Amino acid sequence: MFGFSDLLSLVISAFIILPVVVFLREAGYLIVSEIFGVKNPRLTIGSGPRVFKFWIIDIRKYYHLFSWFSYDALRRESKLAYVCIYAGPILMNLSVALLLNALLANGLLEEHKTFWNRFIFYGFYYVLFDIIPMRTVNGMPNNGMIIYEMLRYGKRTDYNHEPFIYKTTDIEEEYQETMEEIEDKKKEER
């Protein structure tokens, strides 16, 4: 039966664990792309109007599950670079989940065992749906599909004209235009 403790667990999962797992996933892109000389990186968490931007982290108003990593260019572009960058989120969540699992198995996280079990679950959940090659509802490939196609065919094979990782500069320009349109509509309504 679903009780108060279950509701509390749901709230903790939705508003603490999932945002951290999503942030770690996106940080995986950043860490690996730094190796290949990323220019103008940004981690955007959430969607809609910006709440605040600090350094390369852009926090948006609406729910955190819609998050992404963007950059303008890489100094060292290659097939290996792209495979590694798209493997970054998988490796980040896998590493954290395995580390936490090892700590839990050795009795080092016993005090909040349920919390850490749930964290490990969501870490592996993201790894599973990132590593199995598939296309999403909008036809875009997930990281597993991008890696598979890059390894098998040596190139992107999605026939999509949009980039997988958008340029930070383009995203910022689009965001500013959208915010201006919203402000204009608000002025018209007054």
Side-chain angles (χ1 to χ4, degrees):
M1 185 164 106
F2 192 83
F4 180 74
S5 64
D6 297 314
L7 179 61
L8 184 59
S9 292
L10 177 65
V11 169
I12 289 170
S13 294
F15 297 106
I16 296 173
I17 295 172
L18 277 174
V20 172
V21 170
V22 168
F23 179 79
L24 288 171
R25 179 184 183 280
E26 299 303 326
Y29 285 114
L30 177 65
I31 292 167
V32 175
S33 66
E34 283 292 331
I35 295 167
F36 296 98
V38 69
K39 295 177 186 174
N40 197 18
R42 181 171 303 158
L43 291 176
T44 303
I45 307 297
S47 61
R50 180 176 288 143
V51 175
F52 70 89
K53 182 175 171 256
F54 173 73
W55 186 45
I56 64 169
I57 299 173
D58 185 8
I59 304 296
R60 302 293 179 92
K61 185 176 180 179
Y62 303 115
Y63 201 60
H64 58 272
L65 287 179
F66 185 69
S67 302
W68 65 92
F69 171 70
S70 62
Y71 64 89
D72 284 344
L74 292 175
R75 279 186 222 112
R76 295 182 290 274
E77 289 191 35
S78 68
K79 292 175 188 172
L80 175 64
Y82 289 115
V83 167
C84 291
I85 288 170
Y86 290 106
I90 298 166
L91 296 174
M92 175 63 91
N93 276 342
L94 184 62
S95 300
V96 171
L98 288 174
L99 174 66
L100 290 173
N101 197 52
L103 292 172
L104 195 59
N106 288 299
L108 297 172
L109 299 176
E110 286 297 316
E111 190 172 336
H112 301 288
K113 188 175 182 176
T114 303
F115 175 87
W116 294 115
N117 275 328
R118 195 165 285 120
F119 195 101
I120 293 165
F121 171 84
Y122 284 111
F124 283 127
Y125 176 87
Y126 270 85
V127 167
L128 177 67
F129 286 102
D130 232 0
I131 202 167
I132 296 173
M134 67 178 99
R135 296 193 183 277
T136 60
V137 174
N138 64 358
M140 294 293 286
N142 72 346
N143 288 348
M145 182 64 87
I146 293 168
I147 293 167
Y148 169 76
E149 290 176 341
M150 189 65 77
L151 293 174
R152 181 160 184 200
Y153 303 111
K155 62 182 179 177
R156 291 171 42 180
T157 59
D158 67 326
Y159 308 107
N160 194 328
H161 298 292
E162 295 179 18
F164 293 129
I165 295 182
Y166 298 95
K167 289 187 176 186
T168 301
T169 306
D170 295 343
I171 290 172
E172 186 62 28
E173 287 174 6
E174 184 179 317
Y175 173 76
Q176 293 301 333
E177 288 172 7
T178 303
M179 293 290 91
E180 286 174 15
E181 288 174 12
I182 291 170
E183 286 301 316
D184 290 344
K185 286 183 181 183
K186 285 181 181 178
K187 286 178 186 176
E188 288 175 10
E189 291 175 1
R190 291 181 199 159

XYZ file of all heavy atoms in Angstrom, residues 5 8-21 24 96-97 100-101 104 109-123:
296
model
N 5.408 7.343 3.824
C 6.842 7.107 3.621
C 7.159 6.889 2.138
O 8.217 7.293 1.657
C 7.331 5.918 4.449
O 6.701 4.728 4.024
N 7.128 10.325 0.535
C 8.391 10.996 0.841
C 9.518 10.440 -0.032
O 10.331 11.202 -0.568
C 8.716 10.832 2.327
C 9.954 11.558 2.826
C 9.832 13.063 2.593
C 10.173 11.254 4.306
N 9.564 9.135 -0.216
C 10.579 8.515 -1.082
C 10.444 8.977 -2.523
O 11.431 9.228 -3.203
C 10.455 6.988 -1.038
O 10.805 6.501 0.215
N 9.197 9.111 -2.975
C 8.951 9.588 -4.330
C 9.455 11.020 -4.497
O 10.107 11.346 -5.494
C 7.461 9.506 -4.655
C 7.033 10.031 -6.021
C 7.637 9.180 -7.129
C 5.518 10.047 -6.121
N 9.158 11.874 -3.540
C 9.608 13.269 -3.598
C 11.143 13.342 -3.583
O 11.749 14.081 -4.363
C 8.991 14.092 -2.443
C 9.641 15.457 -2.318
C 7.484 14.224 -2.643
N 11.770 12.560 -2.739
C 13.239 12.539 -2.668
C 13.815 12.050 -3.995
O 14.771 12.615 -4.513
C 13.718 11.672 -1.486
C 13.413 12.384 -0.159
C 15.205 11.354 -1.600
C 13.611 11.530 1.073
N 13.206 11.007 -4.552
C 13.688 10.485 -5.849
C 13.536 11.512 -6.950
O 14.457 11.733 -7.741
C 12.914 9.223 -6.228
O 13.183 8.192 -5.338
N 12.375 12.158 -7.027
C 12.079 13.084 -8.124
C 12.844 14.398 -8.018
O 13.224 14.974 -9.035
C 10.577 13.354 -8.179
N 13.064 14.876 -6.803
C 13.630 16.213 -6.660
C 15.035 16.269 -6.075
O 15.623 17.350 -5.988
C 12.681 17.094 -5.847
C 11.363 17.284 -6.544
C 10.225 16.637 -6.098
C 11.283 18.073 -7.683
C 9.015 16.793 -6.759
C 10.077 18.231 -8.349
C 8.943 17.596 -7.889
N 15.585 15.125 -5.693
C 16.974 15.109 -5.222
C 17.795 14.124 -6.046
O 18.771 14.506 -6.687
C 17.055 14.765 -3.715
C 16.367 15.865 -2.902
C 18.513 14.600 -3.287
C 16.245 15.556 -1.429
N 17.390 12.858 -6.053
C 18.195 11.833 -6.721
C 18.235 12.042 -8.230
O 19.320 12.085 -8.825
C 17.686 10.421 -6.372
C 17.886 10.159 -4.872
C 18.396 9.364 -7.201
C 17.255 8.879 -4.369
N 17.081 12.156 -8.880
C 17.067 12.314 -10.338
C 17.832 13.551 -10.819
O 18.609 13.446 -11.778
C 15.642 12.324 -10.872
C 15.044 10.944 -11.084
C 13.575 11.054 -11.472
C 15.800 10.166 -12.138
N 17.680 14.717 -10.197
C 18.473 15.859 -10.664
C 19.985 15.621 -10.547
O 20.746 16.014 -11.425
C 18.033 17.015 -9.758
C 16.689 16.643 -9.281
C 16.692 15.138 -9.192
N 20.399 14.958 -9.481
C 21.837 14.685 -9.318
C 22.315 13.688 -10.369
O 23.366 13.878 -10.991
C 22.152 14.185 -7.888
C 23.592 13.710 -7.773
C 21.873 15.289 -6.872
N 21.540 12.633 -10.605
C 21.916 11.644 -11.624
C 21.960 12.295 -13.005
O 22.886 12.051 -13.790
C 20.949 10.434 -11.596
C 21.165 9.518 -12.783
C 21.112 9.653 -10.301
N 25.083 14.474 -13.178
C 26.272 13.632 -13.367
C 26.367 13.142 -14.811
O 27.450 13.127 -15.403
C 26.242 12.437 -12.416
C 26.484 12.744 -10.952
C 26.211 11.513 -10.096
C 27.900 13.248 -10.732
N 29.847 6.011 -11.083
C 29.261 6.431 -9.808
C 28.395 5.320 -9.224
O 28.481 5.022 -8.022
C 28.459 7.749 -9.981
C 27.666 8.068 -8.725
C 29.398 8.900 -10.328
N 27.568 4.691 -10.054
C 26.692 3.616 -9.562
C 27.515 2.438 -9.043
O 27.200 1.876 -7.990
C 25.739 3.166 -10.662
N 29.213 3.516 -5.674
C 28.245 3.511 -4.578
C 27.823 2.093 -4.221
O 27.655 1.767 -3.041
C 27.021 4.354 -4.948
C 27.248 5.857 -5.019
C 26.017 6.557 -5.560
C 27.658 6.418 -3.669
N 27.660 1.243 -5.227
C 27.288 -0.150 -4.984
C 28.377 -0.866 -4.182
O 28.075 -1.618 -3.255
C 27.022 -0.855 -6.309
C 26.263 -2.143 -6.124
O 25.224 -2.155 -5.483
N 26.800 -3.217 -6.666
N 28.259 0.411 -0.618
C 27.091 -0.155 0.056
C 27.325 -1.630 0.382
O 27.006 -2.091 1.491
C 25.856 0.013 -0.832
C 24.499 -0.178 -0.202
C 24.293 0.808 0.940
C 23.409 0.018 -1.238
N 27.752 2.592 3.605
C 26.622 3.514 3.421
C 25.358 2.966 4.075
O 24.254 3.237 3.619
C 26.379 3.764 1.927
C 27.515 4.391 1.135
C 27.155 4.471 -0.345
C 27.861 5.770 1.664
N 25.513 2.237 5.152
C 24.381 1.570 5.802
C 23.361 2.537 6.389
O 22.180 2.229 6.458
C 24.884 0.629 6.901
C 25.514 -0.629 6.374
C 24.535 -1.493 5.602
O 23.393 -1.679 6.040
O 24.926 -1.987 4.531
N 23.809 3.725 6.826
C 22.913 4.630 7.528
C 21.710 5.052 6.679
O 20.600 5.146 7.172
C 23.678 5.877 7.983
C 22.871 6.740 8.923
C 23.692 7.860 9.513
O 24.926 7.743 9.582
O 23.082 8.861 9.897
N 21.921 5.295 5.398
C 20.835 5.707 4.502
C 20.756 4.735 3.321
O 20.750 5.144 2.162
C 21.060 7.133 4.002
C 21.152 8.132 5.108
N 20.061 8.512 5.839
C 22.211 8.800 5.613
C 20.442 9.389 6.742
N 21.737 9.581 6.635
N 20.691 3.479 3.643
C 20.755 2.412 2.645
C 19.678 2.541 1.561
O 19.961 2.376 0.380
C 20.639 1.056 3.338
C 20.872 -0.112 2.424
C 20.870 -1.409 3.197
C 21.165 -2.558 2.260
N 21.268 -3.821 2.978
N 18.461 2.863 1.933
C 17.369 2.982 0.961
C 17.654 4.101 -0.039
O 17.456 3.937 -1.242
C 16.025 3.240 1.677
O 15.801 2.183 2.605
C 14.881 3.305 0.688
N 18.123 5.225 0.465
C 18.469 6.357 -0.409
C 19.528 5.945 -1.425
O 19.376 6.186 -2.622
C 18.981 7.534 0.431
C 19.465 8.695 -0.395
C 18.570 9.675 -0.816
C 20.806 8.815 -0.744
C 19.002 10.752 -1.576
C 21.245 9.882 -1.508
C 20.343 10.855 -1.922
N 20.607 5.300 -0.950
C 21.702 4.920 -1.846
C 21.283 3.814 -2.812
O 21.708 3.816 -3.971
C 22.939 4.519 -1.036
C 23.486 5.690 -0.294
C 23.544 5.862 1.053
C 24.015 6.896 -0.876
N 24.079 7.092 1.348
C 24.380 7.748 0.187
C 24.210 7.338 -2.179
C 24.933 9.006 -0.015
C 24.763 8.593 -2.386
C 25.120 9.414 -1.318
N 20.440 2.890 -2.367
C 19.916 1.868 -3.278
C 19.140 2.521 -4.423
O 19.270 2.134 -5.579
C 19.011 0.880 -2.542
C 19.775 -0.240 -1.899
O 20.810 -0.660 -2.411
N 19.287 -0.713 -0.768
N 18.321 3.494 -4.077
C 17.535 4.198 -5.089
C 18.451 4.983 -6.029
O 18.241 5.016 -7.233
C 16.525 5.115 -4.403
C 15.462 5.600 -5.339
C 14.290 6.192 -4.596
N 13.480 5.137 -4.004
C 13.241 5.013 -2.705
N 13.684 5.882 -1.857
N 12.502 4.019 -2.268
N 19.485 5.618 -5.489
C 20.442 6.365 -6.302
C 21.137 5.428 -7.301
O 21.268 5.745 -8.485
C 21.483 7.048 -5.405
C 22.270 8.113 -6.094
C 21.948 9.446 -5.910
C 23.333 7.800 -6.936
C 22.663 10.449 -6.539
C 24.050 8.779 -7.565
C 23.717 10.115 -7.376
N 21.567 4.282 -6.808
C 22.214 3.286 -7.665
C 21.244 2.819 -8.752
O 21.619 2.690 -9.925
C 22.726 2.095 -6.819
C 23.862 2.555 -5.904
C 23.151 0.934 -7.700
C 24.185 1.573 -4.782
N 19.996 2.567 -8.373
C 18.980 2.147 -9.340
C 18.867 3.155 -10.482
O 18.899 2.783 -11.654
C 17.625 1.973 -8.650
C 16.491 1.758 -9.609
C 16.219 0.495 -10.106
C 15.714 2.827 -10.043
C 15.177 0.295 -11.008
C 14.675 2.633 -10.937
C 14.401 1.369 -11.418
N 18.710 4.444 -10.163
C 18.550 5.460 -11.205
C 19.825 5.642 -12.020
O 19.761 5.927 -13.218
C 18.063 6.790 -10.621
C 16.601 6.753 -10.280
C 16.174 6.787 -8.959
C 15.640 6.638 -11.276
C 14.830 6.735 -8.643
C 14.295 6.574 -10.970
C 13.897 6.628 -9.651
O 12.569 6.558 -9.360
N 20.978 5.475 -11.398
C 22.232 5.528 -12.151
C 22.274 4.446 -13.218
O 22.570 4.704 -14.387
